[in-house]
Amino acid sequence: SLLLYRNRSYFCMLIFYTATLLNLFVSSIKLFLDSLFLYIKLCLLQIEFHFFLVNQDAFYYFSLSNVLD
């Protein structure tokens, strides 16, 4: 009876341990993808801001030329 209980508890531990590892793996993938998505958004924001700074002089020139006409 004790041997059957021990085998059953080992079996349950194996099932729960496997489920826990799978859950941990899925959570780590989700965390990685969330971090990657945030990194991509920040890169795109930086590119847009850089584009704004580079073209700011041209925008100022065209707005000033309309006032002078």
Side-chain angles (χ1 to χ4, degrees):
S1 175
L2 186 59
L3 183 62
L4 184 63
Y5 175 74
R6 181 177 290 168
N7 287 340
R8 189 180 302 159
S9 65
Y10 284 154
F11 180 73
C12 288
M13 285 186 351
L14 177 67
I15 296 298
F16 290 135
Y17 181 72
T18 307
T20 303
L21 282 180
L22 183 62
N23 191 14
L24 180 66
F25 180 69
V26 169
S27 298
S28 64
I29 287 177
K30 185 180 179 310
L31 179 64
F32 171 74
L33 291 178
D34 287 345
S35 303
L36 183 65
F37 182 69
L38 180 63
Y39 176 75
I40 291 171
K41 282 178 62 175
L42 289 175
C43 287
L44 290 175
L45 185 64
Q46 184 180 6
I47 290 170
E48 288 176 6
F49 185 69
H50 179 72
F51 181 77
F52 171 74
L53 289 180
V54 167
N55 293 324
Q56 193 173 9
D57 292 335
F59 177 74
Y60 179 73
Y61 174 77
F62 286 119
S63 64
L64 189 61
S65 67
N66 288 338
V67 171
L68 295 177
D69 287 343

